[in-house]
Amino acid sequence: MDSDFGIERELSDLQKLRSQYRPELPPCLQGTTVRVEFGDATTAADSSGSHTISRSFPHTYGQPIAHFLRANAKVPDAQVITDHPATRVGVVFCGRQSPGGHNVIWGLLDALKVHNPKSTLLGFLGGSEGLFAQKTLEVTDDILATYKNQGGYDLLGRTKDQIRTTEQVNAALIACTNLKLDGLVIIGGVTSNTDAAQLAETFAEKKCPTKVVGVPVTLNGDLKNQFVETNVGFDTICKVNSQLISNVCTDALSAEKYYYFIRLMGRKASHVALECTLQSHPNMIILGEEVAASKLTLFDITKQICDAVQARDKYHGVILLPEGLIESIPEVYALLQEIHGLLKQGVSADNISVQLSPWASALFEFLPPFIRKQLLLHPESDDSAQLSQIETEKLLAHLVEEEMNKRLKEGTYKGKKFNGICHFFGYQARGSLPSKFDCDYAYVLGHICYHILASGLNGYLATVTNLKNPVNKWRCGAAPITAMMTVKRYGRGHGTSTLGKPALHPATVDLKGRAYELLRQNATKFLMDDIYRNPGPLQFDGPGADAKAVTLCVEDQDYMGRIKKLQEYLDKVRSIVKPGCSQDVLKAALSAMASVTDILSVMSSPSSGNTPF
Amino acid sequence: MDSDFGIERELSDLQKLRSQYRPELPPCLQGTTVRVEFGDATTAADSSGSHTISRSFPHTYGQPIAHFLRANAKVPDAQVITDHPATRVGVVFCGRQSPGGHNVIWGLLDALKVHNPKSTLLGFLGGSEGLFAQKTLEVTDDILATYKNQGGYDLLGRTKDQIRTTEQVNAALIACTNLKLDGLVIIGGVTSNTDAAQLAETFAEKKCPTKVVGVPVTLNGDLKNQFVETNVGFDTICKVNSQLISNVCTDALSAEKYYYFIRLMGRKASHVALECTLQSHPNMIILGEEVAASKLTLFDITKQICDAVQARDKYHGVILLPEGLIESIPEVYALLQEIHGLLKQGVSADNISVQLSPWASALFEFLPPFIRKQLLLHPESDDSAQLSQIETEKLLAHLVEEEMNKRLKEGTYKGKKFNGICHFFGYQARGSLPSKFDCDYAYVLGHICYHILASGLNGYLATVTNLKNPVNKWRCGAAPITAMMTVKRYGRGHGTSTLGKPALHPATVDLKGRAYELLRQNATKFLMDDIYRNPGPLQFDGPGADAKAVTLCVEDQDYMGRIKKLQEYLDKVRSIVKPGCSQDVLKAALSAMASVTDILSVMSSPSSGNTPF
């Protein structure tokens, strides 16, 4: 089969307008010089796992973070790179398409060409499969013309999100060697960037000169950590979904006869659902993280919704569910684990139900047939269930309807019949034209990839922080992917546990964070008062066009900014307390530093129970 | 339960901007005078049914059409209405919400107030139920402030689309009398406007002074006839859906692993699906009208899709299905008729399958359980099945997958496994912010409602023609609803047939029309070449903001304009051939007119087989 990738195509008027849009660059990326300042060597937030990580990544663990600086920044230690030999870089889309992906490629191409017009950018056709098969397309400005600021991954296509097996890693190594690549840029989410780190380590070990760079592009918004504030695609997805959700809210309020159950794509974590709630104010959201933390059962959730319906005393409402919810319910998770275990043993789907443990079997038999069929699907590459295929919204609508009918019969509910209508919002948002924010963010990340490669770094993720501020305030940098890894412990019962492989794990919604706090503050109003908010369709000009994600704006992040600030304090202490300073100054410094050191030791010891992020 | 209707609410930035937008008025509606010119008395396009219609509507059938004229138009016969006593008008949303409905109310209020500030507009709360219960809200400019140019029907709410039973008609009559209404404006689609005509007739018969006016507002776009070019809401729905469809197309092309089956809301006719196809160029559309005309079976359609998949030789694609498709398949329609018959006899859903005829039963048993359950739902008020609840897309995806698996086994298909993903796009578009076109069209129709009432007309529908041109070229008028009616004949086998009640019937896609021709010209390219087009999210400014529906623009409609043109010709003949003209001129006129009359008699006779529209 011939692929349709990279062909020029007819654009609609709006697409044409968007293709003419040129994202701004922050001051540090302007010009033709790369100025990089290295920070301290990195550790991992997961201090208990850092030993495991360093053992697994001897060549790439512990590298320093990097800041890219504006030409006139007064940083004496900064390296100024003015020599830019012609560079060959490969780029590959890994995993699910996310609006803005094309702009990473555009930014990278622009940066390559501005520093040396003889540099070459090769796109791998068909994602990771194209990498293994060395199927490339030379990306030029002409080829990009109809893909700038456009959605989808159809310039190059994508296949799997994995570059993981020995065979795959070897194929990638051979491809990079044969194609004489100086750099390989991997565009993807949690899984793909874990693989990018592994690839970087392997390349370093095998003395392959290709440097590997990762870019955080995933609509799920779950590649979040001390260095990464948000991901390319998340902003667009939340805006498109919020538009649809608020349309449904308006619909609900107009007819007053349906409860809408809307499941949102976004994998295990509930970031998309939370952001959409804060944008469009539906009546209710069932966060997977809350369910997991409170160990709610299917019956608890059903009861919660039914009680809410009765409290509202209305026949309409809108309830959001993250697609990861189903796995967050402890008993369903246990059932899925059993099913996946049996599938791995080669048991066919038809024979699984009879081999389940009595308890899992009871739950399985209780579930409606359509859900049973969906639970039996093979797990995804990250071992989770096929969340996009499991219609949790239908299951809950069904259970709520049954419970409401029961209450009606018992006389504890005296209203009209409960009517649920179900939706899954995912695929219809994923291919959207990217929002201005995602266009800008992706384009800047593309530039940073070049700066990382020009600085000779390997196994780094391109980062932009201070994103809630305007582009000219954005801070550009890079951090080793290994510094973002954690190590999972799997309990095996009897008090024993095994260690997983170091990896990036999807960040879940922080139940102590500000975004969640904002939700809790408003939850009762949302539930009772129908203060639906309609952000409207994605705009590229005028009101709303420059709006940023609520969850991005309420969080007080800027980790990279703070790291810099700390360095400044330490430098200041060092410059004040130089040999020759007074006894009193030295004593005061010693006492204060001893105290700081004590506090930090306690806080960062593994036993303190502070989970990383 | 308290209603939430008509409350002021917080608007998002974009909503605020939109609430400030003020639609333009065509010249004929500007100023404070109403100038109306009456055309000839109307007939019905369904000449064979005209007798039946005139018998059912003795007071309202055969009224002339009305044109509203600009102040400086040189039409000697035009009535100029300068006296505008304070008027009391009621307005009610009937049937499904459609983007733009609020603007009809706004236009009506503005027109009422500009002609007499003492006039009153009462909105019925909760749709037709509110009319029966006389629950009103006085609509003021303050109350409208946060509803101008906004979607949904939540200013007043809506319930059923029916004002039909004797009880309902009487309740409406009592409400209009008690509230001393001079006019009642009914905002709705085919069913509601049929009921509006009946209400007008009953009011006239019972000497109730309230005049009834209908407004064509339905997202289905199926209230189409010689007088009505399109409906309020259709433009928005098609734009919102086309955005989502093209996002899915981009998604399909990026991953190259799924066939998407997308069902579109729009009731029996396929207008929405056709328009969306012309806007977004998916690979395939199965038009209900084609299926009905060619009497295709479920197997034929399945085979058609499978053959298309094999011809494409690709693992991705996008297929659109109108929600009315299921009823267009002859054998399914027959089955549905049997089911609905049994339901009407009071047979419970559980007992229906055993009472079906052997043939219907065989089909029923063949269908997957989820579809069986959906087919057993009670029919809608227009006797059609609950189309929004029947997942035709899942049925076809299932049948296509089975057939592809069969072909794989037989070796006639040699590709990878076929993967279908299903969507239903309806509710998420219905509550959208209305497009500029719908804002303008609805606002203008609201003004026309006042002009109709000021002209003392009863049983009329507000009309705007020449819509594909800019607002200042729009022609405003009114036509008796009875002139749009047709009478259906129901075959009872054995060659006998019975006549239905005169009614507006949903216009289906004209398989001889230009829009369909455009589809056919491009169908092969759409199928094979993936020339997906992304109109992007609904914009209110810049490229695309003023785009109009393709089906509106390609059709050569302007019926009202042509009727005027014809009148001018007739007037000209009359003025040339006055008594005293030469023998030759008279002879030429006679001969030409005889010929014209002959041709027209033949063409408009019922036996000529020309179906009306």
Side-chain angles (χ1 to χ4, degrees):
Chain A
M1 288 189 183
D2 272 353
S3 95
D4 300 306
F5 300 129
I7 52 166
E8 200 189 327
R9 64 253 173 97
E10 286 255 350
L11 298 184
S12 71
D13 290 345
L14 182 65
Q15 283 184 301
K16 270 184 213 153
L17 181 82
R18 290 304 297 155
S19 75
Q20 303 298 324
Y21 170 76
R22 193 158 190 97
E24 193 188 338
L25 278 182
C28 61
L29 300 182
Q30 293 171 8
T32 54
T33 306
V34 171
R35 286 167 64 89
V36 58
E37 179 201 9
F38 291 105
D40 287 329
T42 49
T43 178
D46 174 9
S47 55
S48 66
S50 59
H51 182 64
T52 314
I53 303 171
S54 76
R55 226 172 26 200
S56 302
F57 295 90
H59 299 83
T60 50
Y61 181 75
Q63 300 184 93
I65 54 171
H67 303 280
F68 298 108
L69 308 172
R70 61 178 78 196
N72 56 358
K74 289 180 194 134
V75 179
D77 297 344
Q79 285 184 30
V80 182
I81 301 165
T82 45
D83 183 32
H84 295 277
T87 308
R88 285 173 67 83
V89 178
V91 61
V92 59
F93 283 131
C94 281
R96 297 184 174 74
Q97 49 272 38
S98 204
H102 287 142
N103 272 27
V104 175
I105 296 182
W106 181 24
L108 175 57
L109 180 72
D110 275 3
L112 275 167
K113 294 291 185 186
V114 81
H115 288 95
N116 190 329
K118 291 197 181 131
S119 289
T120 309
L121 181 59
L122 296 177
F124 287 102
L125 289 176
S128 45
E129 300 282 4
L131 170 63
F132 307 145
Q134 303 178 33
K135 278 175 67 178
T136 62
L137 169 79
E138 187 178 340
V139 182
T140 62
D141 203 58
D142 278 352
I143 281 181
L144 269 177
T146 56
Y147 292 89
K148 290 174 181 175
N149 304 308
Q150 311 293 322
Y153 277 6
D154 43 335
L155 171 70
L156 300 176
R158 63 96 170 173
T159 39
K160 287 176 199 155
D161 56 353
Q162 277 194 3
I163 311 176
R164 189 177 304 168
T165 64
T166 314
E167 210 181 349
Q168 290 170 335
V169 170
N170 283 339
L173 183 81
I174 294 168
C176 290
T177 310
N178 284 356
L179 295 165
K180 299 190 175 37
L181 295 187
D182 302 296
L184 174 66
V185 174
I186 292 178
I187 296 173
V190 166
T191 310
S192 310
N193 280 296
T194 299
D195 291 348
Q198 186 56 60
L199 215 56
E201 179 66 26
T202 307
F203 283 14
E205 183 194 328
K206 304 215 168 164
K207 308 222 182 309
C208 165
T210 313
K211 310 294 184 200
V212 182
V213 175
V215 193
V217 180
T218 165
L219 62 94
N220 308 325
D222 57 0
L223 204 178
K224 234 175 162 175
N225 54 49
Q226 61 276 53
F227 305 103
V228 185
E229 295 181 358
T230 189
N231 310 138
V232 172
F234 179 73
D235 186 68
T236 306
I237 292 295
C238 292
K239 282 177 178 157
V240 175
N241 282 334
S242 294
Q243 171 204 352
L244 301 181
I245 292 162
S246 56
N247 287 351
V248 169
C249 290
T250 303
D251 203 76
L253 195 55
S254 300
E256 297 200 311
K257 62 183 201 178
Y258 294 123
Y259 269 87
Y260 293 93
F261 290 74
I262 303 176
R263 179 168 51 107
L264 293 162
M265 188 177 265
R267 308 290 305 147
K268 290 181 184 196
S270 311
H271 302 289
V272 173
L274 175 59
E275 175 63 33
C276 290
T277 302
L278 295 174
Q279 284 190 25
S280 59
H281 307 177
N283 298 109
M284 212 174 169
I285 172 178
I286 314 280
L287 282 179
E289 288 81 354
E290 274 183 329
V291 168
S294 309
K295 298 194 172 43
L296 298 183
T297 65
L298 263 179
F299 299 97
D300 294 332
I301 300 172
T302 306
K303 190 176 168 303
Q304 212 174 68
I305 300 176
C306 292
D307 292 349
V309 168
Q310 288 204 250
R312 279 175 57 73
D313 195 22
K314 288 172 186 161
Y315 300 119
H316 69 276
V318 178
I319 301 165
L320 300 194
L321 313 168
E323 68 175 3
L325 176 63
I326 191 79
E327 273 197 342
S328 307
I329 305 168
E331 79 259 28
V332 180
Y333 182 71
L335 168 61
L336 280 167
Q337 290 293 97
E338 280 198 32
I339 290 173
H340 294 169
L342 290 166
L343 284 171
K344 267 187 204 157
Q345 288 167 33
V347 180
S348 84
D350 295 341
N351 296 323
I352 281 185
S353 72
V354 293
Q355 298 200 30
L356 292 170
S357 68
W359 200 86
S361 170
L363 174 61
F364 191 73
E365 293 307 323
F366 160 79
L367 295 169
F370 71 91
I371 283 280
R372 273 186 246 161
K373 212 173 140 189
Q374 293 159 356
L375 294 181
L376 289 174
L377 294 170
H378 274 265
E380 301 261 7
S381 62
D382 63 353
D383 288 331
S384 68
Q386 287 198 26
L387 299 175
S388 60
Q389 307 300 319
I390 301 177
E391 297 173 305
T392 318
E393 73 283 15
K394 287 205 175 165
L395 173 62
L396 280 176
H398 168 81
L399 294 175
V400 167
E401 194 183 323
E402 283 200 336
E403 171 67 19
M404 292 306 291
N405 287 344
K406 200 179 123 224
R407 292 184 184 190
L408 202 58
K409 257 191 196 160
E410 292 169 356
T412 49
Y413 167 65
K414 294 185 167 43
K416 282 191 274 189
K417 197 181 166 311
F418 177 87
N419 288 309
I421 291 205
C422 296
H423 284 291
F424 174 47
F425 291 168
Y427 301 100
Q428 60 266 65
R430 231 167 52 169
S432 169
L433 277 172
S435 67
K436 269 177 82 179
F437 176 83
D438 277 329
C439 289
D440 295 348
Y441 183 30
Y443 182 78
V444 168
L445 283 170
H447 270 263
I448 296 176
C449 290
Y450 174 75
H451 285 237
I452 295 175
L453 293 170
S455 308
L457 302 176
N458 182 33
Y460 277 66
L461 192 82
T463 65
V464 181
T465 54
N466 208 21
L467 281 167
K468 64 179 167 185
N469 286 304
V471 176
N472 60 14
K473 296 263 160 57
W474 285 5
R475 270 188 259 280
C476 301
I481 299 172
T482 50
M484 304 167 192
M485 287 185 170
T486 47
V487 179
K488 278 210 177 170
R489 274 162 195 74
Y490 297 96
R492 293 267 154 149
H494 319 296
T496 67
S497 71
T498 55
L499 283 181
K501 283 183 112 180
L504 301 186
H505 289 106
T508 52
V509 167
D510 181 2
L511 298 184
K512 293 179 197 146
R514 291 203 188 173
Y516 180 71
E517 196 187 320
L518 189 62
L519 171 69
R520 287 275 55 92
Q521 282 166 1
N522 289 285
T524 309
K525 265 191 291 174
F526 289 174
L527 176 62
M528 301 304 295
D529 299 346
D530 293 356
I531 47 169
Y532 303 139
R533 181 180 172 275
N534 192 336
L538 195 57
Q539 300 296 296
F540 301 103
D541 213 354
D546 290 306
K548 288 178 184 173
V550 181
T551 46
L552 177 70
C553 294
V554 297
E555 292 294 351
D556 185 22
Q557 297 177 316
D558 196 21
Y559 184 89
M560 298 291 265
R562 290 213 191 98
I563 281 276
K564 286 214 74 181
K565 195 95 200 155
L566 179 75
Q567 267 181 341
E568 285 167 27
Y569 277 120
L570 295 175
D571 290 347
K572 218 166 190 176
V573 171
R574 202 169 276 133
S575 77
I576 297 173
V577 199
K578 276 200 176 143
C581 71
S582 81
Q583 277 282 10
D584 287 353
V585 166
L586 180 59
K587 259 170 90 178
L590 265 184
S591 151
M593 294 304 287
S595 158
V596 166
T597 318
D598 281 353
I599 295 170
L600 296 180
S601 306
V602 171
M603 283 184 66
S604 56
S605 91
S607 57
S608 74
N610 277 337
T611 47
F613 312 93
Chain B
M1 288 190 179
D2 271 355
S3 94
D4 301 308
F5 301 129
I7 53 167
E8 200 189 327
R9 65 257 172 96
E10 287 256 349
L11 299 183
S12 71
D13 290 347
L14 182 64
Q15 283 184 299
K16 271 184 213 153
L17 181 82
R18 290 304 299 153
S19 74
Q20 305 296 324
Y21 170 76
R22 194 159 189 98
E24 193 188 338
L25 277 182
C28 61
L29 300 182
Q30 292 172 7
T32 54
T33 305
V34 172
R35 286 168 64 91
V36 59
E37 178 201 11
F38 291 104
D40 286 331
T42 50
T43 177
D46 175 10
S47 55
S48 67
S50 59
H51 183 63
T52 314
I53 303 171
S54 75
R55 223 171 28 196
S56 301
F57 295 89
H59 299 83
T60 49
Y61 181 75
Q63 299 183 94
I65 53 170
H67 302 279
F68 298 107
L69 308 171
R70 61 177 79 196
N72 55 1
K74 288 180 196 133
V75 179
D77 297 344
Q79 285 183 29
V80 182
I81 301 165
T82 46
D83 183 32
H84 295 277
T87 308
R88 285 173 67 82
V89 178
V91 62
V92 59
F93 284 131
C94 282
R96 297 181 173 77
Q97 49 271 37
S98 203
H102 287 142
N103 272 27
V104 175
I105 296 181
W106 180 23
L108 175 57
L109 180 72
D110 276 4
L112 274 168
K113 293 292 185 185
V114 82
H115 288 95
N116 189 330
K118 291 196 183 133
S119 289
T120 309
L121 181 60
L122 296 177
F124 287 102
L125 290 176
S128 45
E129 301 281 4
L131 170 63
F132 307 145
Q134 303 177 33
K135 278 174 67 178
T136 62
L137 169 79
E138 187 179 338
V139 181
T140 62
D141 204 58
D142 278 352
I143 281 181
L144 270 177
T146 57
Y147 292 89
K148 290 173 182 175
N149 304 308
Q150 311 293 321
Y153 276 6
D154 43 339
L155 171 69
L156 299 177
R158 64 95 169 172
T159 39
K160 287 177 200 153
D161 55 355
Q162 278 194 3
I163 310 176
R164 188 176 306 167
T165 64
T166 314
E167 210 181 349
Q168 290 170 334
V169 170
N170 282 339
L173 181 78
I174 293 168
C176 291
T177 310
N178 284 357
L179 294 165
K180 299 190 173 41
L181 295 186
D182 301 298
L184 174 66
V185 174
I186 291 177
I187 297 173
V190 166
T191 310
S192 310
N193 280 296
T194 299
D195 291 348
Q198 186 56 61
L199 215 54
E201 178 66 24
T202 307
F203 282 14
E205 183 194 328
K206 304 215 169 168
K207 310 224 182 304
C208 166
T210 312
K211 311 294 183 196
V212 182
V213 175
V215 193
V217 180
T218 166
L219 63 94
N220 308 326
D222 57 0
L223 204 177
K224 236 176 160 172
N225 53 49
Q226 61 280 51
F227 306 103
V228 185
E229 296 181 357
T230 188
N231 310 137
V232 172
F234 179 75
D235 185 68
T236 307
I237 292 296
C238 292
K239 282 177 178 157
V240 175
N241 281 335
S242 294
Q243 170 204 353
L244 300 181
I245 291 162
S246 56
N247 287 351
V248 169
C249 291
T250 303
D251 203 77
L253 196 56
S254 300
E256 297 200 314
K257 61 182 198 176
Y258 294 122
Y259 269 88
Y260 293 92
F261 290 75
I262 303 176
R263 178 166 52 104
L264 292 163
M265 189 178 264
R267 309 290 304 145
K268 291 184 185 193
S270 310
H271 302 289
V272 173
L274 175 59
E275 175 63 32
C276 290
T277 301
L278 295 174
Q279 284 191 27
S280 60
H281 306 177
N283 299 109
M284 211 174 171
I285 174 178
I286 314 281
L287 282 180
E289 288 81 354
E290 275 183 327
V291 167
S294 310
K295 298 195 173 40
L296 299 183
T297 65
L298 263 179
F299 299 97
D300 294 332
I301 300 172
T302 306
K303 190 175 168 301
Q304 211 175 67
I305 300 176
C306 291
D307 292 348
V309 168
Q310 287 203 251
R312 277 175 59 71
D313 195 24
K314 288 172 185 159
Y315 300 119
H316 70 276
V318 178
I319 300 165
L320 299 196
L321 313 168
E323 68 174 5
L325 175 63
I326 191 80
E327 272 197 342
S328 308
I329 305 168
E331 80 259 30
V332 180
Y333 182 72
L335 169 60
L336 280 167
Q337 290 292 96
E338 279 199 32
I339 291 173
H340 294 168
L342 290 166
L343 284 172
K344 267 187 204 158
Q345 288 166 34
V347 180
S348 83
D350 295 341
N351 295 323
I352 281 185
S353 71
V354 293
Q355 300 201 29
L356 291 170
S357 68
W359 200 86
S361 172
L363 173 61
F364 191 72
E365 293 307 322
F366 159 80
L367 296 168
F370 70 89
I371 282 280
R372 271 186 248 163
K373 214 174 136 187
Q374 293 159 357
L375 294 181
L376 289 174
L377 293 171
H378 273 266
E380 301 259 9
S381 63
D382 63 352
D383 289 331
S384 68
Q386 286 198 28
L387 300 174
S388 59
Q389 306 301 319
I390 302 177
E391 297 173 306
T392 318
E393 72 284 15
K394 287 204 174 164
L395 174 62
L396 280 176
H398 168 81
L399 294 176
V400 167
E401 194 184 322
E402 282 200 337
E403 172 67 19
M404 293 307 291
N405 287 344
K406 199 180 123 224
R407 292 184 183 189
L408 201 58
K409 255 190 199 160
E410 292 169 356
T412 49
Y413 167 64
K414 294 185 168 38
K416 283 192 273 189
K417 196 181 165 312
F418 178 86
N419 287 310
I421 291 205
C422 296
H423 284 290
F424 174 49
F425 291 167
Y427 301 101
Q428 59 266 63
R430 230 166 52 166
S432 169
L433 277 173
S435 68
K436 268 176 82 178
F437 176 82
D438 277 329
C439 288
D440 295 347
Y441 184 31
Y443 181 78
V444 168
L445 283 171
H447 269 264
I448 296 176
C449 289
Y450 175 75
H451 285 237
I452 294 174
L453 292 172
S455 308
L457 302 175
N458 182 34
Y460 277 68
L461 193 82
T463 65
V464 182
T465 54
N466 209 23
L467 281 166
K468 64 180 170 186
N469 286 304
V471 176
N472 61 14
K473 297 264 160 59
W474 285 5
R475 270 189 261 281
C476 301
I481 299 173
T482 50
M484 306 168 190
M485 288 187 170
T486 46
V487 179
K488 279 208 176 171
R489 275 165 194 72
Y490 297 96
R492 295 264 156 150
H494 319 295
T496 66
S497 71
T498 54
L499 283 180
K501 282 183 111 179
L504 301 185
H505 289 104
T508 52
V509 166
D510 180 4
L511 298 184
K512 293 178 196 146
R514 292 204 187 170
Y516 180 72
E517 195 187 322
L518 189 63
L519 172 70
R520 287 274 56 90
Q521 282 166 0
N522 289 284
T524 309
K525 266 192 290 173
F526 289 173
L527 176 62
M528 301 304 294
D529 299 346
D530 293 355
I531 46 168
Y532 303 139
R533 180 179 174 277
N534 192 337
L538 193 58
Q539 300 295 295
F540 302 102
D541 213 354
D546 290 307
K548 287 178 186 173
V550 180
T551 45
L552 177 70
C553 295
V554 297
E555 292 294 351
D556 186 22
Q557 296 177 317
D558 195 21
Y559 184 90
M560 298 290 266
R562 289 212 191 99
I563 281 277
K564 285 212 73 176
K565 194 96 200 153
L566 179 74
Q567 268 181 339
E568 286 166 27
Y569 277 120
L570 294 176
D571 290 346
K572 219 165 188 174
V573 171
R574 202 168 277 134
S575 75
I576 296 173
V577 200
K578 277 200 175 143
C581 70
S582 78
Q583 277 281 9
D584 285 354
V585 167
L586 180 60
K587 258 171 92 178
L590 264 185
S591 148
M593 294 304 286
S595 156
V596 165
T597 318
D598 279 353
I599 295 169
L600 297 180
S601 305
V602 171
M603 283 183 68
S604 58
S605 90
S607 57
S608 74
N610 277 336
T611 48
F613 309 94

